[in-house]
Amino acid sequence: MIREIPILDLKAQHRILSADLLQAIAGVLEDGHFILGPNVESFENEFAAYLGVEHAIGLNSGTDALHLALRALDIGPGDEVVTSTFSFIATAEAISIVGAKPVFVDIDPRTYALDPRRVEEAVTPRTRAIVPVHLYGTPAPMTDILSIARRHGLAIVEDCAQSIGATINGRMTGSFGTISAFSFFPSKNLGACGDGGMVVTDHADLAARIRALRAHGGRKKYFHEEVGLNSRLDEIQAAVLRIKLRHLEEWTRARRAVAERYNDGLAELTSLQTPFEEPGCRNVYHQYTIGTPRRDELQTFLRAHAISTMIYYPLPLHLQPAYAHLGGKPGDLPNAEAAAASVLSLPISPDLEREDQDHVIEVIREFSSALSAA
Ligand SMILES: *Cc1c(COP(=O)(O)O)cnc(C)c1O
């Protein structure tokens, strides 16, 4: 019998935690406090402590976390924000929502993160901030980005939606930026049972501003200093996330063990690019993403063997129809365009069975030897 191997299986995690999760949810139902109650407050404190930052503010989603970070920095119409063209659309959307212009730059093909040299070239007198993305859980080069930001007086908003727990010289991603954004979308390394997000910062004024913005722009009920929105992490999700946060380090270790097994199993296939980990950095492998010029054929071959894979992302942001008005053309940002044509993310989760993973490795090897024989 052929067993389906999904790219991500959340059911295993929820089976293991089900008694704890149901008890936590029942506690919220009994308490009857659904919005901005004790679980949100405790989770914010636990999250800030985990990252080693001063303030954490729970929000509706990672998209709102990025958007409210930019709002709190007073970035808006007439401003430019430099970001990677190789990301999920939400990174750019947040910049557009506040009325600023995303300026897309090319990536370093090893890390898939924005290339600091390209960032420096993209800075103009209108630039206000840089939004680096730690794509796939691989840390972006924050040392270089920090020095560019300092030289030009720019803010940094880290997009940590895929990088919770990733470190650079022992320091967590999300602790480098002026404000950083996290997502608890269910498939993320720390996922809720619904939508959720968080911003973190060491700046008390920015934290207070975001707390007000998430609740209609007021610091006191029914008094509104500015126009805000409704973007709150809810109690049930916070109760779920508090339980999951206690397992995150163990899950990260398990993900890294899976990644190492892939690295070993695929090492001799020299036509594949395996994920990069800079010395001193901890990659948390939100995705285990390989690069190969025969990507589409390999994906079809894996699918025929009941193995699911995904392409994150098939079209860089500068070529998305939503950004056609910015005038991006094929060939403008060649490293990202090459990545979009060659990346493939393999099944990974803390609970991936060893025999399933070995089967994935075997099928990829079979594909490669069929190619070299042909
Ligand atoms: C998931 C994700 C987001 C958006 O998070 P949501 O919680 O889904 O709004 C932003 N940026 C990146 C890189 C992501 O992967």
Side-chain angles (χ1 to χ4, degrees), residues 79-99:
D79 296 332
E80 293 178 358
V81 177
V82 177
T83 193
S84 169
T85 190
F86 197 53
S87 184
F88 180 53
I89 185 83
T91 312
E93 231 169 16
I95 298 166
S96 302
I97 289 170
V98 299

Side-chain angles (χ1 to χ4, degrees), residues 38-77:
N39 280 291
V40 170
E41 191 179 340
S42 299
F43 180 54
E44 287 175 345
N45 293 333
E46 290 154 7
F47 195 85
Y50 175 69
L51 288 179
V53 296
E54 290 293 323
H55 308 279
I57 301 109
L59 303 170
N60 246 334
S61 67
T63 306
D64 271 355
L66 289 163
H67 148 216
L68 290 179
L70 296 165
R71 267 287 302 269
L73 292 165
D74 283 319
I75 292 171

Side-chain angles (χ1 to χ4, degrees), residues 10 13 89 93 103 136 142 144 155 162 178 226 233-234 239 250 258 279 282 304 309 325 338:
L10 289 171
Q13 179 187 100
I89 185 83
E93 231 169 16
V103 175
Y136 308 142
M142 292 311 298
D144 292 342
Q162 301 188 5
T178 321
E226 62 180 320
L233 181 65
D234 76 73
E250 159 202 328
V258 170
R282 178 166 85 154
T309 57
H325 60 282

Side-chain angles (χ1 to χ4, degrees), residues 86 106-107 109 112 291-293 295 316 318 333-343:
F86 197 53
D106 209 354
I107 56 167
Y112 301 107
T292 164
R295 192 265 314 274
H318 70 285
L333 303 173
N335 292 342
E337 291 168 34
S342 62
V343 291

Side-chain angles (χ1 to χ4, degrees), residues 278-347:
E278 188 103 52
C281 288
R282 178 166 85 154
N283 189 327
V284 292
Y285 298 102
H286 173 59
Q287 301 296 341
Y288 186 92
T289 302
I290 58 172
T292 164
R294 317 296 288 255
R295 192 265 314 274
D296 293 343
E297 291 156 82
L298 175 59
Q299 185 175 40
T300 305
F301 191 78
L302 288 164
R303 194 181 295 129
H305 288 80
I307 297 165
S308 348
T309 57
M310 289 289 281
I311 297 167
Y312 302 111
Y313 296 94
L315 190 64
L317 298 174
H318 70 285
L319 300 179
Q320 293 286 349
Y323 285 110
H325 60 282
L326 297 179
K329 298 179 306 300
D332 285 351
L333 303 173
N335 292 342
E337 291 168 34
S342 62
V343 291
L344 189 67
S345 297
L346 304 181

